[in-house]
Structure formats: structure tokens, C-alpha cells
Amino acid sequence: MKLCSKPWNPAYSTIYYLSKSNKEWKTRSTPSTVRHLRELKLSYKIHPRNKPSDQPYTDPIPPWQLFSIPVELFPMSKTAAKQNTHLTSATFRAINKDEPPDHLSIYTDGSTCMTSRKSTCAFFIHKLKIKESFLLSESTNSFNVELEAINQALAHVYHQDWNMITIYCDSKAAIEAIRNFKWTASNTIPKIINQIVNFNSAGPKIKFYWIPRHSGIQGNATAYNLANAGRHTNVGHQLSHCPNVAERLLKMQVLTRLKTISTNTGVINRQRMGMCPWHTHKRRKIQTALFRLRSGHCKLNNTLSKSDMDINPECLHGCEEKEDTTHILLHCPHYSNARTQLTNALLKNNVSLPLDIPTLMGCNPNIPKHTQGAIAKQLVTILIETQLIERI
Ligand SMILES: [Zn+2]
């Protein structure tokens, strides 16, 4: 289903013609792809956009032909740079003091807004007095817009003759993805790498330089303002961007189907597919306990009593309630000290949330990522201290 972004795939032309044709297939000889394509609603733009012959040649480079893409990092951390913008600006000027005449510096940045569902990217070339911003046809994440900015900047200077071109970018993720040839991380990466290969064979060397964002570096601020202005005013070029709509659509369909048949809170409260970092733990024992608590299939009395008549479903500590996840985490007086400790620890981290099962289990989708991490950490501490981990 990633074929719209992988034109080099041998199945590309087949799926292109299948998705375009209105042929009626006999029930027993319908190609399986046709069923999926129809299920995903063909009216939605899921079919490959361009004819196979129109696709640019962006075949991944085989591993033995990979080369190193030079990357440099600004000598200050993001936090330190933000705290002292004057020092950051002075350090940056000192580094770039002796810029040779055959060297070109390009500043790139992207901006994306979840409310207006608009994504823009921009680049700024001080030496050539060029400021360009682009509005992407479809909203995407900040990683993709940063990459698109680099792609557009390289395309702009494609026919120029320089000895060295340095791209100043404030996204380490984007730079690392290019440097490590992460072909599938974004549709734009093959395009960028393809351009770098062409630049290298023609003469100019491409270098990436990570700079901290919003910390007094003039070029970065200009690129940022350009990208932001492009989002608010709709000026700038319109860019046809093709995110992987088919994949997103298919994932949402699978999730909806899973939600209807599941009773697991970890599944029902999900808003998207994929792994949540706070649901996992590097220690297998803890990870297993967290999974069991979320799914309800644990070794607590209520669960065990369903398969063994001799086991009493009630709480081990003399309560009259059934011993399950909700009871031990929210109601059992035996663990009240641990519960208070958990609430206090969360309050210390400025987290004041209703203490309920979805919140504690990391299944409340309205809680931000860092808070989810803090809650999971505290819960693990409590599970170990009360030795509940042995019984789950
Ligand atoms: Zn109890």
C-alpha cells in the first residue's frame, strides 16, 4: 500500500493500471489488490498519481554504493542556546566568519499547524537574496515539512555551480534520516538523496549543519518567519505533496474494526495505530505486567477464579470486592499509602489528573506524551514497591 510513494517497486505499474481500469472480474479470478482498492474507496486519491513512465527515477542506492553525507552540529545544546541567544548568535557568526566566495549557505525551515491543517516550508539564501515559501497541498507533520524545505532548496540551486553548499536546518531528525539513508521514513528522502548524488557527481559538495531553533541565529529566524507567514497569508508557491493517504486510511479502517470487537481498554481508547512509548518497558517482567493490567488478563484472583473453581475471586486483603485491576489500583485500602504516594509524585510533576484506570494505564488519549511517561514511571515504581508485580 506504499506504492504511491515507491515508484521503483516492480508492482507499481500493475497496481496503477488495476486502479485505473473499470474491468469486471470473475469472482474467482479477481486480483486481490482490486478488492482492497475498492474497499479503500477509489474516489479517494489512493491510486498512484503519475503514469509509471512519468515517475522520476528515485531507486534506492544499494548498500555497497552508499556514501557518507557530511553533517556538523552546532557546539551548543538546544536549551543552552535558547537561554543565551546573544552567545549563540556570536558563536554562529564566529564559526561562519570566513565564508569562501564559492560557498553557499541555505537556511531551511518548515511550519505546520494542527488547527488550520496547513503545512508550509521555506528556505532563505542570504548570498543570493532569495526568500521562497511553499504551501503544501496536504497537511503533514513537521518532519516532512523540514525535509520538503531541504528538497526545494536543493532543487532551486540545482543548476548553479558552487564548491560547497551547506544546508542549515534546525531538525536533527530530518538530517539524521538523510544521513542514514532512511528511504522509507518519508517520500521526500529518496528525492533529496537523488539530488545529493547528482550534486556530488557534478562537483558541488552538500553538507548539513544542525542549528538550534529560535535562538538568535538570523538565517534560521528568517526561514522560520517565511514559513510561518506562508501559512497565514497563503502567499508563496503551492506545492503538490503526496503523503501516504492509502496507508493512513487502511490503518484507520483496521483500528475501527479492532475497536468494535475488542474489550481491551488499551485498544478501545486508541486514536491511532502504532506503538505508544509509555506502554513499553525495557525490563520484560515489567512490560508483561503493564500489558496484563491493560488487557485485564492477569493473575489476580478475579481472573484466576474464572478458570479455577477453588479460587475465591475476592480480594486477598479481606475486602468484599472482586480482586481486579480497578480494585487494586483504585479501591483496595491495603494499597492506600501507595496510592497517596503515586498522587503526590504526580502532583510534584505538575500533573493533576483524575485518578482512573485509563489515566493510570496510559490509555487516556487526551494526556500529552511527556505526562504519560511520568505516570507510567510512577506506576511502575508503585508496582515494584508493593510487590504487586509478582502477582500480576
Ligand atoms: Zn482489597
Side-chain angles (χ1 to χ4, degrees), residues 315-321 323 327-328 331-335:
C315 176
L316 204 67
H317 303 288
C319 316
E320 284 181 2
E321 284 183 51
E323 192 191 52
H327 177 70
I328 56 160
H331 307 305
C332 188
H334 184 76
Y335 302 111

Side-chain angles (χ1 to χ4, degrees), residues 74-76 81 84-98 209 212 215-218:
F74 191 72
M76 284 163 78
N84 194 342
T85 50
H86 290 292
L87 178 66
T88 312
S89 166
T91 315
F92 188 74
R93 273 200 304 273
I95 292 169
N96 293 290
K97 198 173 51 186
D98 305 315
Y209 198 108
S215 46
I217 297 172
Q218 196 49 48

